[in-house]
Amino acid sequence: MLTKAELQRLRSLREKKTREELGFFVLEGEKVVAELLAAKFSFSEIYATPAWPGAKTHAITVEEMARASHFPTPSSVLAVGRIVRTALAPGALDRGLTLALDGVQDAGNVGTLIRIADWFAFDRVVLSPDCADLFHQKTINASMGSFVRMTAHTAELARALKKTSAPILGCDLTGDDVHALPPLRDAVVVIGSEGRGLSPAVAARVTRRVTIPKFGGAESLNAATAAAIVCDNLRRAQARV
Amino acid sequence: MLTKAELQRLRSLREKKTREELGFFVLEGEKVVAELLAAKFSFSEIYATPAWPGAKTHAITVEEMARASHFPTPSSVLAVGRIVRTALAPGALDRGLTLALDGVQDAGNVGTLIRIADWFAFDRVVLSPDCADLFHQKTINASMGSFVRMTAHTAELARALKKTSAPILGCDLTGDDVHALPPLRDAVVVIGSEGRGLSPAVAARVTRRVTIPKFGGAESLNAATAAAIVCDNLRRAQARV
């Protein structure tokens, strides 16, 4: 049973503005909800039809799900989670490995980047305020369970980078060969937007420009691809110590 | 001026089936059309409104473009290209570097993988017949100009792999460390579908299983991310010779 007020709330959480106001996000789909549950995420509500095999807080009908769902083919489950934002502590970037996203616009890319950070056991991800929303369905879909495991902060990137003592790595086409990276225990890897690359304020903070050797004709690699290669080389260099 | 027959043809080329029947594909958007032109792709027709600064074969109005376009916000240009399919020559996989896609379903991923193959100067990309269509707008968008530069074949993958003498590299979680790859002048890198990985028939052809060292909690990397890391390591190992 789904009240009119509940229906309205679930639908309104599709809007970033409402999510921020109410402090909750919605997530649909058996696979992604199961992944978050497996990663020990605690949803505040789980609306589900009889087809959903897992736990639920609200049993609803297929017709009610169709009204609440954002998708043409609704799944059997729609979960609501609380938005928790952790402030970036002063000095946090000085220690360990940080993946910093500067204006990455596509929610799928943000999610994929969080998954990469998780694979390589980065300590945190920092998103500039103009990145795609961390609590968008597409971001969470692409990040898989990494959304739960990784600590993600939103912060004014150029300002946060200004204060850190860790080396700041940025990709461009004329930097040092990424294959020759020295072992770095602490580092920030900055990744720019798909279309424009790094913003000037963030680019000015880069202390080590690295380049992925190119052999063919492509002008660039996409953000997630470049990030993955840099992270792999960073971990490989560390392993040499 | 756009005739009714032209309009119908342009619209119908949005369907894969019609593309195959007629042997043409359509592509919209200033950026991607300009990229293909810069890569010397020769379109058979270019329909454009007065806002398009480049060459055109058919001048049409904004209203006509709105009718022909697939997008809610049409661009100033819609180009038609001939579909050219090159058969995979016997023995082709024995020489050089091949990126082979086994059931990669997402058109954006197929495009990104073609761009990666181009960056690392692979000799060819081979798509299994159940991959997303090479001539889909999203594939071409994601591949950027690499769509023009890379030679892409569609072939029954398991059969083609059976006949090759080149080592066949597949990613899994229990293979040899990708950082310890020997220099390989010739190699086929196989990439599986996003959800299911390699098909059993293709997995059975893999002669060298490689693993990207994992440090954190993510269960996997996505297809394009994994491919990029393997390609970078392959080129890096070659450079040591």
Side-chain angles (χ1 to χ4, degrees):
Chain A
M1 156 80 199
L2 193 66
T3 67
K4 202 174 163 184
E6 284 175 316
L7 178 63
Q8 205 161 37
R9 170 168 174 265
L10 294 179
R11 283 182 169 176
S12 72
L13 291 176
R14 286 283 161 199
E15 300 301 320
K16 183 178 176 184
K17 194 165 156 277
T18 318
R19 282 199 293 273
E20 294 299 323
E21 279 169 21
L22 303 181
F24 290 95
F25 66 97
V26 284
L27 192 64
E28 293 185 56
E30 289 90 359
K31 186 159 175 279
V32 68
V33 171
E35 267 160 14
L36 265 64
L37 288 170
K40 314 271 182 234
F41 187 80
S42 178
F43 288 105
S44 52
E45 295 131 77
I46 298 179
Y47 294 84
T49 68
W52 170 247
K56 64 185 85 170
T57 61
H58 295 66
I60 62 173
T61 66
V62 171
E63 292 70 33
E64 287 168 335
M65 182 63 84
R67 282 198 291 276
S69 174
H70 190 64
F71 296 124
T73 314
S75 77
S76 64
V77 63
L78 186 157
V80 179
R82 190 176 287 278
I83 292 179
V84 179
R85 295 199 184 271
T86 326
L88 190 64
L93 302 190
D94 298 350
R95 294 290 172 84
L97 298 176
T98 304
L99 187 66
L101 313 187
D102 182 25
V104 175
Q105 303 287 312
D106 180 79
N109 283 345
V110 171
T112 300
L113 285 157
I114 290 172
R115 189 169 161 197
I116 291 168
D118 185 23
W119 178 275
F120 290 106
F122 271 46
D123 295 280
R124 65 197 69 82
V125 175
V126 182
L127 288 79
S128 67
D130 57 340
C131 280
D133 186 23
L134 189 57
F135 297 95
H136 192 292
Q137 169 101 40
K138 283 186 188 168
T139 309
I140 304 178
N141 279 355
S143 79
M144 320 273 287
S146 299
F147 169 82
V148 181
R149 282 182 297 269
M150 282 303 303
T151 307
H153 309 273
T154 297
E156 289 291 343
L157 213 49
R159 200 184 312 159
L161 292 173
K162 190 174 179 179
K163 294 175 191 158
T164 185
S165 58
I168 301 168
L169 279 64
C171 272
D172 69 12
L173 298 171
T174 58
D176 299 330
D177 185 343
V178 74
H179 296 164
L181 266 181
L184 299 169
R185 197 184 51 187
D186 311 308
V188 181
V189 176
V190 289
I191 298 293
S193 90
E194 296 87 350
R196 294 183 315 271
L198 292 177
S199 62
V202 168
R205 298 286 158 221
V206 169
T207 58
R208 185 182 281 271
R209 295 183 305 112
V210 294
T211 296
I212 298 166
K214 162 177 152 165
F215 297 83
E219 275 179 31
S220 62
L221 289 167
N222 78 15
T225 301
I229 293 174
V230 173
C231 293
D232 178 58
N233 279 284
L234 198 55
R235 281 297 189 187
R236 181 172 174 167
Q238 284 184 331
R240 282 203 309 266
V241 185
Chain B
M1 156 80 199
L2 192 66
T3 67
K4 203 174 162 185
E6 284 175 316
L7 178 62
Q8 206 162 35
R9 171 168 173 266
L10 293 179
R11 283 182 170 178
S12 73
L13 291 177
R14 285 283 160 199
E15 300 299 323
K16 183 178 177 187
K17 194 164 157 276
T18 318
R19 283 199 292 274
E20 294 298 323
E21 279 169 21
L22 303 181
F24 290 95
F25 66 97
V26 284
L27 193 63
E28 293 183 57
E30 290 89 2
K31 184 159 177 279
V32 66
V33 170
E35 266 161 16
L36 264 65
L37 288 170
K40 314 274 184 230
F41 187 80
S42 177
F43 287 105
S44 52
E45 296 130 77
I46 298 178
Y47 294 84
T49 68
W52 171 245
K56 64 185 86 169
T57 60
H58 296 66
I60 63 173
T61 66
V62 171
E63 292 71 31
E64 286 168 334
M65 182 63 86
R67 281 198 292 276
S69 174
H70 190 64
F71 296 126
T73 315
S75 78
S76 65
V77 64
L78 185 156
V80 179
R82 190 178 288 277
I83 291 179
V84 178
R85 294 201 185 268
T86 325
L88 190 64
L93 302 190
D94 298 349
R95 294 289 173 82
L97 298 177
T98 304
L99 187 66
L101 313 187
D102 182 25
V104 176
Q105 303 287 311
D106 181 78
N109 283 344
V110 170
T112 300
L113 285 158
I114 291 171
R115 188 169 162 199
I116 291 169
D118 185 23
W119 178 276
F120 289 106
F122 270 47
D123 295 279
R124 66 197 69 82
V125 175
V126 181
L127 289 78
S128 67
D130 56 339
C131 280
D133 187 24
L134 189 56
F135 297 94
H136 191 291
Q137 169 100 41
K138 283 187 189 168
T139 308
I140 305 176
N141 279 356
S143 80
M144 320 274 286
S146 300
F147 169 80
V148 180
R149 282 183 296 269
M150 280 306 301
T151 307
H153 309 274
T154 297
E156 288 292 343
L157 214 48
R159 201 185 311 161
L161 292 173
K162 190 174 179 179
K163 294 176 191 157
T164 185
S165 58
I168 300 167
L169 278 65
C171 273
D172 69 14
L173 298 172
T174 58
D176 299 331
D177 185 343
V178 74
H179 296 164
L181 266 182
L184 299 169
R185 196 185 52 188
D186 310 309
V188 181
V189 176
V190 290
I191 298 293
S193 90
E194 298 86 351
R196 293 184 315 271
L198 292 177
S199 61
V202 168
R205 299 285 159 221
V206 168
T207 58
R208 187 182 279 273
R209 295 183 304 114
V210 295
T211 296
I212 298 167
K214 163 177 152 167
F215 298 84
E219 276 178 29
S220 62
L221 290 167
N222 78 15
T225 302
I229 293 175
V230 172
C231 293
D232 178 58
N233 279 284
L234 198 57
R235 282 296 190 189
R236 180 172 176 168
Q238 283 183 333
R240 282 202 308 266
V241 186

